[in-house]
Amino acid sequence: MFNNYLKIAARSLLRNKLYSIVTILGLSLGMGCCLLMLVHVQNELSFDRFNQNHERTYRLVAERTTAKGIANDATLPPPLAPSILRDVPQVTRAVRLFTMDNPVPLISNGERRFYENGLYFIDSGFDEVFSVSTISGDLKQALIRPNTVVITEEVARRYFGADDPLGKVLSLNGTLSLEVTAVIKSLPANSSIRPELLVSFSTLRNWVGEAFVESWQNNTCQIFVLLEPHASSEEAANRLTGSLRAHLGESSTLRKIFFQPLDRLHLYSYRDYAIASSGDIQSVLLLAGIATLVLLVACVNYVNLTTSRLVMRAKEVGVRKLIGATRSQLVRQFLVEAFMTIAIALAVGLVAVEITLPTLQAALGASFATSMLGTWPSWMLPIGAVTAIGMLSALYPASILSSLKPLESARGFAHSGSRRALLRKGMIVFQFALTVMLIIGTWTVYNQVEFVQRASLGLNKDDVVIVPIRDQNLRKNPEALKASLMQIASVQHVGAAALLPGGPVGRARYRAGDKSAEGSMSMLWVDPDFIGTLGLTMNAGRPFTAQIATDAAEAFIINEKAAAQLGWADPMKAVGEPFELVGGKKGTIIGVVKDFNFFSLHRGIEPLVMHIWPWMNYMLIRFDQGRRTEILDNIGEVYRKFDPVNPFTWTLLRDNFDRSYDQDKRLEGTFAGFSLLAILIACSGLVSLAAFTAERRTKEIGVRKVLGASTSGIVALLTREYLILVLLANLLAWPVAYVVMNRWLQDFAYRVDIGVATFLVAGLVSALIAMLTVSYHALRAAGANPVEALRYE
């Protein structure tokens, strides 16, 4: 019996080739799209779960009070780690992790020199917290001594080729020699933290000094802890909060410490605090929702196409019933047909996924297996889910077809009926409503990304180049280099800074005015020419100057936001007031600069203090944009004269800001791609439905033409119904799309408005799509010979 079902199903698909192709194409696009996103979601949710003790491993996060309210910060004082082991019995291991990326360090072995982004200073015992595989060496002893480093096998090949790296030496920035004591395998792609070089934490103590490592005011380390089995993380966090407050004092902005589970680092840290991973649960959910919408469009398209052909299958059903077929047999028959259609669509979708998975990986900035065959078990859940949804979509058409009355259907009198016609129209409305929502989402994301990239930040970011300063002597005394750079034609300003706008900045505790005002704010370490180089505007007071010797030791410049936070509504009143960094520099406020965005536009302008620092990490050069290539060559020549050892590298300040929007740009591209898929699926279904409608109304069209109806009138008659449905779909989609996209925009401090134009554009696009899709068959039907039409049937 089953073989007979298969034969009939195959004959049905081959007999109606256009219908079969359209149906399979729509389903395969929807299934492939959904499978791609499910693989991506599965990969995102798997982060850090490979660690053997991930359920007991946590990253410490501080909850602090800021001018804008409550904020989270994952960087903590270095001495907190040993304090944890003394004060919190639930903790069995505490590991500090200090990232060296400001600027990116240069590692060398003879002529082999590379800038390495994955260098971390870390405590011994990190292998008890993170699951790593040792290739050679003893990890228990590898990071106890100063000036030792553990490297991955890729780094070993990069610097030592096929030689055994154990005992050999790597140079850090040409000043520090590190002995290789162990080699490990690289952590997998679904790890939030992927170190390439692990330097012993005792090296940092010897290199930068005891004061840096033992300061409770120095929030520079991420700290990971391993708890005892079944220990309460909340109890441990409460105990630790009290211990940290005792060291920081009552004036600290710290509210509490909480323990963030290791497997939540990747998706729940985006834009809140420093983290080595860049996932975002909101983006994952949004992309999963988009994929689900596309699959729903495909399923609705399938149901609609199947039910629209009830008339074509009515005589077949009637004959089968008259010769004894039961309803259950007919249901099984039509389900086998549906299963065959879905199976073919799934096979086509899987092939498409295999081909496009690397492209998706690049588009989303993700790293996961690019072959289905190598990770087949992980595909079973998404394949099963997609197949189940497809089969559920087939149940309704199967039940409708099997319920037709035998006598009427055998005589070919089965018609759609008002209820089924209403349902079919409802599904068209639903299908186009989902498509319109995707169009609105794509347009909104595009507008927002364009807005944040064009918006004025209050500083000059377009024609400023950043050159990292790697030579130790140049960092302490860059004045000669600055003077030489100013001799280059079209170079307008040269400044320097320890940290840059657009990236992570410092944070400082302060006392100001009569010393009753105390809190914390963002901080930039700059040189006297920084303000002029970035084109910042003074609101009150004066900028820094090298001609006044006390500026380096005693002067502070704050922004308008900081002046308001400190209680000075008039910025002029802040000038001359005392200001001090807790545990550090003391002096006076010499000026107030107009507010500017030193973060991306995801965040609003925050209070900021700037002061001169004797240790610069970056040179900032403002130049004539029209001669960029020539000027960069000249800058490189000058820089190499002062630092012939380190390779010359540069970036644009604009790029420094634009990197903050990489996630949004990826979302924009994904939205656009999926919207196009949804439109293709909807159009394929509409083409088939329009052809069916025109075929069903052939005699009616012939009669109308004989009675004098024009071609344009016939076309209007056939297209009006679909345009009304598309208009209704827009009215349903607009409020839902507004709520969803408005919620997404809340992630930006500065954002575009979702105006009426957005909805009108979506409405016009969807109407145009429907018109173009339906008009071909409408014109074809309207232009047919009425005599032939009246002879129809």
Side-chain angles (χ1 to χ4, degrees):
M1 180 64 74
F2 184 72
N3 289 336
N4 187 49
Y5 289 157
L6 288 176
K7 289 179 182 178
I8 295 173
R11 288 170 183 168
S12 177
L13 290 176
L14 292 173
R15 185 169 59 250
N16 304 286
K17 294 183 177 63
L18 177 62
Y19 161 79
S20 300
I21 291 172
V22 170
T23 304
I24 290 171
L25 177 63
L27 276 176
S28 62
L29 286 174
M31 287 179 164
C33 173
C34 193
L35 283 172
L36 279 172
M37 277 300 96
L38 284 175
V39 170
H40 173 60
V41 171
Q42 203 171 31
N43 179 72
E44 292 290 287
L45 295 176
S46 72
F47 263 72
D48 299 308
R49 294 179 181 272
F50 68 90
N51 288 289
Q52 185 177 357
N53 295 318
H54 74 87
E55 294 179 346
R56 296 193 289 128
T57 304
Y58 299 83
R59 199 261 305 267
L60 302 189
V61 178
E63 187 178 276
R64 306 182 193 276
T65 304
T66 69
K68 295 184 66 177
I70 305 301
N72 296 322
D73 186 2
T75 53
L76 293 160
L80 179 61
S83 174
I84 294 171
L85 296 175
R86 293 192 304 267
D87 301 338
V88 186
Q90 295 96 329
V91 175
T92 63
R93 175 65 69 179
V95 173
R96 292 167 291 188
L97 188 150
F98 176 81
T99 307
M100 184 175 179
D101 57 0
N102 186 37
V104 176
L106 177 71
I107 304 297
S108 60
N109 175 33
E111 295 301 316
R112 298 182 181 183
R113 302 185 301 167
F114 302 95
Y115 290 117
E116 300 285 359
N117 286 297
L119 187 144
Y120 296 85
F121 291 88
I122 198 166
D123 282 308
S124 178
F126 78 97
D127 55 312
E128 298 178 31
V129 178
F130 303 101
S131 296
V132 295
S133 300
T134 308
I135 295 176
S136 60
D138 181 7
L139 285 182
K140 301 296 181 187
Q141 305 295 323
L143 295 177
I144 294 178
R145 295 183 290 110
N147 300 342
T148 55
V149 62
V150 173
I151 61 176
T152 63
E153 55 185 336
E154 286 82 2
V155 172
R157 283 194 294 268
R158 192 151 60 237
Y159 291 97
F160 304 107
D163 295 342
D164 182 6
L166 292 184
K168 291 186 169 59
V169 175
L170 291 173
S171 175
L172 171 59
N173 286 343
T175 60
L176 189 64
S177 296
L178 302 172
E179 179 190 349
V180 179
T181 51
V183 180
I184 61 173
K185 288 186 177 180
S186 294
L187 291 177
N190 60 343
S191 176
S192 295
I193 298 171
R194 301 193 66 202
E196 295 292 321
L197 299 98
L198 296 167
V199 183
S200 61
F201 204 84
S202 56
T203 304
L204 187 65
R205 181 186 299 273
N206 290 355
W207 196 25
V208 300
E210 192 80 12
F212 181 89
V213 176
E214 295 300 329
S215 172
W216 286 92
Q217 309 298 330
N218 181 16
N219 296 314
T220 54
C221 292
Q222 294 187 58
I223 300 177
F224 295 83
V225 297
L226 181 66
L227 296 188
E228 294 276 3
H230 311 299
S232 169
S233 61
E234 290 185 7
E235 182 181 340
N238 291 335
R239 185 186 292 265
L240 185 58
T241 299
S243 174
L244 185 55
R245 279 180 177 164
H247 289 284
L248 297 179
E250 292 300 321
S251 62
S252 169
T253 59
L254 177 74
R255 286 171 52 87
K256 67 177 182 179
I257 296 288
F258 66 87
F259 284 25
Q260 183 183 29
L262 180 63
D263 55 18
R264 291 176 67 88
L265 258 66
H266 178 66
L267 292 178
Y268 294 88
S269 301
Y270 184 58
R271 293 176 184 152
D272 282 338
Y273 34 74
I275 182 63
S277 189
S278 59
D280 176 26
I281 187 62
Q282 296 296 332
S283 294
V284 170
L285 293 175
L286 187 57
L287 290 176
I290 294 170
T292 303
L293 289 181
V294 175
L295 181 59
L296 283 175
V297 169
C299 290
V300 168
N301 187 59
Y302 170 71
V303 173
N304 223 4
L305 288 174
T306 307
T307 54
S308 69
R309 297 187 64 81
L310 289 177
V311 174
M312 311 299 293
R313 303 293 298 271
K315 187 174 293 187
E316 173 192 344
V317 171
V319 171
R320 287 178 178 274
K321 282 197 170 186
L322 287 174
I323 61 176
T326 65
R327 183 174 183 181
S328 62
Q329 289 175 326
L330 290 171
V331 168
R332 286 196 293 271
Q333 171 64 58
F334 292 123
L335 285 179
V336 168
E337 289 186 22
F339 178 79
M340 182 175 288
T341 303
I342 292 167
I344 296 172
L346 181 61
V348 174
L350 287 173
V351 172
V353 168
E354 179 75 2
I355 294 171
T356 59
L357 197 58
T359 304
L360 177 75
Q361 176 176 303
L364 295 175
S367 297
F368 45 88
T370 56
S371 173
M372 296 184 305
L373 301 177
T375 57
W376 184 253
S378 66
W379 285 77
M380 298 310 296
L381 176 62
I383 288 175
V386 169
T387 304
I389 293 172
M391 290 304 297
L392 286 172
S393 303
L395 283 176
Y396 177 76
S399 65
I400 292 296
L401 286 169
S402 63
S403 67
L404 295 176
K405 295 179 181 180
L407 290 178
E408 290 187 351
S409 58
R411 289 156 50 190
F413 293 143
H415 294 283
S416 302
S418 59
R419 291 179 60 186
R420 284 195 284 273
L422 183 63
L423 177 63
R424 186 166 62 251
K425 291 177 181 179
M427 287 189 287
I428 293 175
V429 170
F430 179 71
Q431 187 180 33
F432 264 88
L434 296 180
T435 305
V436 169
M437 287 169 59
L438 289 173
I439 293 173
I440 292 173
T442 302
W443 185 251
T444 303
V445 174
Y446 171 79
N447 283 338
Q448 178 63 25
V449 172
E450 286 296 303
F451 169 74
V452 296
Q453 290 186 308
R454 294 194 311 265
S456 173
L457 300 177
L459 56 80
N460 188 329
K461 67 173 182 177
D462 292 323
D463 49 5
V464 175
V465 66
I466 302 166
V467 178
I469 306 174
R470 304 183 185 280
D471 182 80
Q472 304 298 324
N473 293 325
L474 281 180
R475 287 184 177 181
K476 296 176 183 178
N477 185 18
E479 295 305 316
L481 173 60
K482 289 170 61 178
S484 295
L485 290 171
M486 284 297 296
Q487 300 303 313
I488 299 174
S490 299
V491 168
Q492 300 168 1
H493 287 276
V494 180
L499 293 174
L500 296 170
V505 301
R507 191 136 196 106
R509 291 176 60 204
Y510 66 84
R511 295 189 187 96
D514 59 3
K515 298 191 178 182
S516 62
E518 187 171 323
S520 70
M521 66 176 63
S522 297
M523 177 172 63
L524 285 174
W525 297 274
V526 302
D527 81 335
D529 298 308
F530 176 86
I531 290 176
T533 302
L534 292 192
L536 303 181
T537 304
M538 298 301 300
N539 189 309
R542 63 175 179 83
F544 298 117
T545 176
Q547 280 66 50
I548 301 177
T550 55
D551 274 10
E554 301 175 1
F556 296 93
I557 292 178
I558 60 176
N559 66 352
E560 295 170 310
K561 200 80 171 181
Q565 175 177 307
L566 295 172
W568 295 305
D570 181 1
M572 282 300 301
K573 294 182 179 180
V575 178
E577 291 291 332
F579 190 95
E580 75 173 272
L581 302 176
V582 176
K585 183 186 291 188
K586 298 180 181 179
T588 58
I589 298 170
I590 65 168
V592 178
V593 70
K594 282 191 174 182
D595 286 337
F596 65 97
N597 288 92
F598 50 92
F599 291 126
S600 73
L601 296 187
H602 288 110
R603 299 167 63 171
I605 295 174
E606 299 181 6
L608 173 73
V609 60
M610 294 180 285
H611 63 102
I612 295 176
W613 191 250
W615 186 276
M616 296 292 104
N617 291 322
Y618 300 97
M619 196 73 71
L620 295 98
I621 307 161
R622 193 167 79 186
F623 60 94
D624 183 354
Q625 188 77 9
R627 303 175 59 191
R628 179 191 297 180
T629 302
E630 177 187 348
I631 294 170
L632 287 173
D633 290 340
N634 294 335
I635 291 173
E637 290 179 13
V638 172
Y639 185 87
R640 292 184 190 98
K641 292 178 182 178
F642 286 85
D643 183 4
V645 175
N646 295 292
F648 171 72
T649 60
W650 59 272
T651 58
L652 294 174
L653 184 59
R654 167 179 279 279
D655 295 338
N656 212 43
F657 279 95
D658 287 350
R659 277 193 295 271
S660 305
Y661 310 118
D662 285 346
Q663 185 106 349
D664 307 304
K665 286 185 278 190
R666 288 195 291 266
L667 184 63
E668 175 193 353
T670 308
F671 242 122
F674 285 177
S675 297
L676 180 60
L677 283 177
I679 291 170
L680 287 175
I681 294 169
C683 287
S684 67
L686 208 55
V687 166
S688 184
L689 286 173
F692 170 73
T693 300
E695 183 180 1
R696 185 166 54 87
R697 301 178 70 176
T698 300
K699 185 176 292 187
E700 175 193 345
I701 293 171
V703 171
R704 288 180 180 274
K705 292 197 72 174
V706 168
L707 294 177
S710 64
T711 300
S712 59
I714 298 295
V715 171
L717 174 71
L718 294 176
T719 57
R720 183 171 60 240
E721 176 183 349
Y722 292 101
L723 288 177
I724 292 173
L725 296 179
V726 170
L727 175 60
L728 183 57
N730 274 272
L731 295 177
L732 293 175
W734 289 351
V736 178
Y738 177 82
V739 171
V740 173
M741 296 316 300
N742 193 59
R743 183 172 180 179
W744 177 75
L745 287 171
Q746 298 302 315
D747 208 18
F748 293 84
Y750 305 90
R751 50 186 176 267
V752 295
D753 293 324
I754 308 178
V756 175
T758 300
F759 302 104
L760 292 179
V761 167
L764 288 173
V765 169
S766 58
L768 182 62
I769 291 170
M771 280 287 294
L772 293 175
T773 304
V774 175
S775 59
Y776 168 74
H777 289 289
L779 287 169
R780 185 178 178 184
N785 189 334
V787 175
E788 294 294 329
L790 292 175
R791 292 169 56 188
Y792 181 70
E793 294 183 343

